[in-house]
Amino acid sequence: MNRCKNSDKPLKNSLLKSGNTQLLLLRMISAIALFSLLGQANVWLDATSNALLAFGYRFLLILTPLTLALFGKRALIATVFASLLGLILLSLNIMNIFNWLAVILFSYGVAVLGFIVKNDAAKTPAGAANNKIMLNLGSLCAGLLLLYPHWVPVEFYLIMGLLLLLCLPAARRFSLSGEVTTQSMIKSNARKPGKFKWVLAGVVTGIKLFAVFSILPQEILAHRPQLPGWYGVMIILNSAIVALLQIPVMKLIERSGSRAMLLSMAIILSGLIVLAVPGLFQVHTFAGAFVWLAFLSIAECGLSYIDYCAAQDNALLIKELSVSLGAGLTVLVMRFFPVSVNTEILSVISIAALFIWLWQYKYPPKTIHEESADALSDVYEK
């Protein structure tokens, strides 16, 4: 499977040498703050704040063109300070409406920062690979932080804020080339016919991705008063399995030839079925959570085939934005619906969305036409 190349190069960092080392470190640090907060949100934030965080950290990347237009070369500094302001408001814990504003600011900051760094890194295949590695390293480090079971909010937010402050040197040196083409990318995708199937693909992906950040912690909290230290191990496990098995699973799918779609759908479907029965695995125990999440992490590797299909259809941006719908839906269902049915509801929704996507992808309406623009592969992220 050949990855589509993106000929648009709207962003430029004149300071960074090969590998974009400083920006990639910024990417890792912001990922640590994001994934750590996603884990603790199940305990400290109300359901609405939790849902806004899950939805916003992907969807608000759509504000990248506006941020670049307003702040230019200071765009990364603006995103870092937005995230810091969000953490400050969360630490004050004044009232829910301020918490909602706080998570919106934080989500906006990490979403736009992540898009800018990824777009810069994706100028070369090596940079794109390094971006993926740094994202997973950030998730691994977040898991290590969450191994400590006695965090208190103010202390936690202070440490996350200090981590973000480490991003400022690289953010200050970021520079922007003359023409910003991200906005035209979004407009061209907005006009694209057949968008609904990619919205469905994003919902499936978002539900699966938030198994570790919402389904698992809520299932544990139904049996325990607080998240155990080993919950951090589960975040590490998820990142490690995806990092280790992603390439082998995709090679297996590729070697299946004409059965590639069937094999990838079988892998994904098996994960969505497992997602429905955390009680069967007793995920409130370490061993049960380990086995349950291992199955889901393998299924996540199969989701990359959907990303490949989205890239071929030049619809990856639409799909990525729609991941936020699945993530937000997962949090809302897990926080508001009874424990006895919440995972079954999510599983039914995701399986139905998967089959509708498959039908529309295999048998598209006759009005759908091919577009010659390159796929937006630089938007792809875990």
Side-chain angles (χ1 to χ4, degrees):
M1 299 176 187
N2 297 323
R3 291 184 62 86
C4 298
K5 295 181 180 179
N6 187 350
S7 59
D8 290 317
K9 295 182 180 181
L11 305 177
K12 178 182 178 182
N13 191 306
S14 58
L15 172 76
L16 301 182
K17 299 179 181 179
S18 60
N20 302 328
T21 306
Q22 293 187 36
L23 274 187
L24 288 171
L25 285 173
L26 186 155
R27 178 64 164 150
M28 184 185 75
I29 292 171
S30 64
I32 294 172
L34 170 63
F35 292 124
S36 298
L37 185 55
L38 284 172
Q40 292 291 5
N42 293 276
V43 181
W44 293 337
L45 300 183
D46 64 278
T48 303
S49 299
N50 196 174
L52 284 172
L53 177 63
F55 176 81
Y57 95 95
R58 284 286 184 122
F59 185 79
L60 291 178
L61 65 85
I62 200 171
L63 295 178
T64 303
L66 178 62
T67 303
L68 292 172
L70 289 176
F71 299 102
K73 65 180 182 179
R74 296 182 177 85
L76 284 186
I77 296 178
T79 62
V80 171
F81 277 113
S83 298
L84 282 170
L85 180 57
L87 289 173
I88 291 171
L89 286 175
L90 282 174
S91 67
L92 296 177
N93 195 27
I94 303 173
M95 60 181 68
N96 281 344
I97 191 170
F98 284 99
N99 286 342
W100 301 342
L101 175 61
V103 295
I104 290 173
L105 285 169
F106 178 83
S107 299
Y108 157 74
V110 295
V112 175
L113 183 151
F115 185 93
I116 292 174
V117 174
K118 179 169 49 181
N119 196 83
D120 185 271
K123 291 176 181 177
T124 65
N130 288 334
N131 175 71
K132 184 73 171 176
I133 291 170
M134 298 307 262
L135 184 69
N136 279 280
L137 284 176
S139 180
L140 286 169
C141 292
L144 291 173
L145 283 172
L146 295 177
L147 288 175
Y148 180 67
H150 304 299
W151 287 112
V152 295
V154 174
E155 178 187 48
F156 178 85
Y157 295 137
L158 174 62
I159 292 176
M160 294 303 104
L162 290 175
L163 282 175
L164 288 177
L165 284 174
L166 295 176
C167 299
L168 284 178
R172 288 182 59 190
R173 295 179 176 93
F174 168 77
S175 62
L176 181 67
S177 62
E179 183 181 1
V180 179
T181 62
T182 311
Q183 190 170 16
S184 64
M185 293 180 187
I186 294 174
K187 287 181 178 178
S188 65
N189 274 258
R191 293 192 298 266
K192 183 176 181 61
K195 295 188 292 291
F196 180 65
K197 65 175 177 288
W198 297 115
V199 173
L200 292 175
V203 169
V204 174
T205 303
I207 291 175
K208 167 56 206 72
L209 292 180
F210 258 66
V212 68
F213 292 113
S214 184
I215 297 176
L216 179 59
Q218 289 301 319
E219 287 289 325
I220 294 174
L221 290 171
H223 295 83
R224 295 168 175 262
Q226 61 182 15
L227 290 177
W230 54 258
Y231 171 64
V233 176
M234 298 301 118
I235 297 179
I236 296 172
L237 172 71
N238 178 247
S239 297
I241 291 178
V242 172
L244 291 173
L245 296 185
Q246 181 68 82
I247 293 178
V249 169
M250 288 302 290
K251 284 184 176 180
L252 176 64
I253 292 174
E254 184 179 12
R255 285 197 297 267
S256 65
S258 60
R259 295 185 175 88
M261 177 69 77
L262 180 62
L263 178 58
S264 62
M265 291 301 102
I267 293 172
I268 297 169
L269 182 61
S270 64
L272 297 180
I273 293 172
V274 169
L275 182 146
V277 288
L280 183 64
F281 287 84
Q282 297 185 329
V283 297
H284 59 280
T285 66
F286 178 86
F290 190 99
V291 175
W292 181 79
L293 195 59
F295 278 116
L296 291 178
S297 300
I298 295 171
E300 184 174 330
C301 297
L303 285 170
S304 291
Y305 190 80
I306 291 183
D307 294 310
Y308 168 76
C309 295
Q312 296 302 301
D313 201 38
N314 196 35
L316 198 50
L317 180 57
I318 298 170
K319 179 259 172 187
E320 280 296 302
L321 290 174
S322 301
V323 170
S324 59
L325 297 176
L329 177 65
T330 302
V331 172
L332 290 174
V333 171
M334 292 303 298
R335 296 293 294 263
F336 287 111
F337 282 74
V339 176
S340 58
V341 297
N342 50 18
T343 55
E344 288 87 346
I345 291 172
L346 289 171
S347 181
V348 168
I349 292 173
S350 55
I351 291 172
L354 180 67
F355 278 109
I356 295 172
W357 171 84
L358 179 61
W359 177 265
Q360 293 201 351
Y361 185 76
K362 297 291 285 185
Y363 306 103
K366 292 182 180 180
T367 55
I368 292 182
H369 62 279
E370 294 183 357
E371 296 185 4
S372 59
D374 292 328
L376 298 179
S377 56
D378 59 313
V379 183
Y380 174 50
E381 185 177 290
K382 178 186 169 189

